[in-house]
Amino acid sequence: MKKTLFAFLTGVLLIPILVSCGSAGPERVSALVSLEGKPKGMIVKYKAAIDKKSVDKGTYTIRGQEVATVFVSDVNPFSKEDAPSVKTDNSLKGKGGRYAVILLKNDPSAATSSEIDVKTIDIVNIPKVDIRVQQVADIKTLEGKTVKAWKKPLKAEEQFPMR
């Protein structure tokens, strides 16, 4: 009986510790897509604010694409729900944020905006693109926790139009 009670109490005490050590990993992955349906970048939303010093263009890979730049933001500048007009957490300013924005190098064979009649394109129905991103290097949160590199790429769950 004492062993059973001890095991039960140990389990009850360990549950909050294990829950508090939860992953600060990715919460949502989004794609930035041109009006013609070409991938332009990715946005990774993390559960915790990421230290901007811990990411660079070697932190992420996107198959078949070359990363031009990576930056961290406390808002998703492409989302209506989290637009820059939304009040942001000023304590994060300049230090980091929950979003890693990955921009891809321009494809020289892609059409320029002057060659496209934007009025004829339905921005709401931009072509769906199967694009995946993988974090290949460990990064740090602002609290100093490590977000380990991912074992496999994650597919974008939503898309935002970008010119």
Side-chain angles (χ1 to χ4, degrees):
M1 176 72 173
K2 287 182 181 182
K3 287 182 183 180
T4 306
L5 182 60
F6 178 74
F8 174 74
L9 289 175
T10 302
V12 169
L13 293 173
L14 283 177
I15 289 173
I17 294 169
L18 293 173
V19 170
S20 69
C21 295
S23 171
E27 188 175 294
R28 183 172 204 83
V29 177
S30 307
L32 300 173
V33 181
S34 73
L35 299 177
E36 306 82 39
K38 296 196 183 279
K40 301 292 268 177
M42 304 282 294
I43 300 172
V44 180
K45 180 179 182 182
Y46 287 92
K47 295 175 185 168
I50 300 300
D51 184 348
K52 74 174 188 176
K53 294 180 220 160
S54 70
V55 299
D56 59 31
K57 61 184 187 175
T59 305
Y60 301 93
T61 61
I62 298 171
R63 188 172 172 200
Q65 303 292 328
E66 189 174 348
V67 175
T69 190
V70 176
F71 64 92
V72 175
S73 175
D74 57 345
V75 295
N76 178 346
F78 299 93
S79 172
K80 287 187 284 186
E81 290 84 32
D82 200 25
S85 62
V86 174
K87 187 173 188 223
T88 61
D89 182 356
N90 287 329
S91 67
L92 299 178
K93 238 184 197 14
K95 299 176 189 172
R98 292 184 58 203
Y99 297 89
V101 181
I102 306 149
L103 299 177
L104 302 174
K105 289 216 175 182
N106 288 335
D107 181 1
S109 64
T112 63
S113 60
S114 62
E115 298 170 338
I116 301 166
D117 183 8
V118 177
K119 293 176 189 168
T120 63
I121 297 173
D122 183 359
I123 293 176
V124 175
N125 293 314
I126 57 174
K128 296 287 182 198
V129 175
D130 182 6
I131 185 168
R132 298 164 193 261
V133 62
Q134 184 172 2
Q135 178 188 314
V136 294
D138 293 352
I139 59 177
K140 296 277 187 194
T141 66
L142 287 177
E143 292 82 32
K145 293 181 181 177
T146 300
V147 179
K148 296 283 187 188
W150 310 335
K151 294 182 191 230
K152 60 182 183 175
L154 297 178
K155 183 178 179 177
E157 301 169 28
E158 63 183 341
Q159 296 186 158
F160 296 105
M162 182 177 176
R163 285 189 189 176

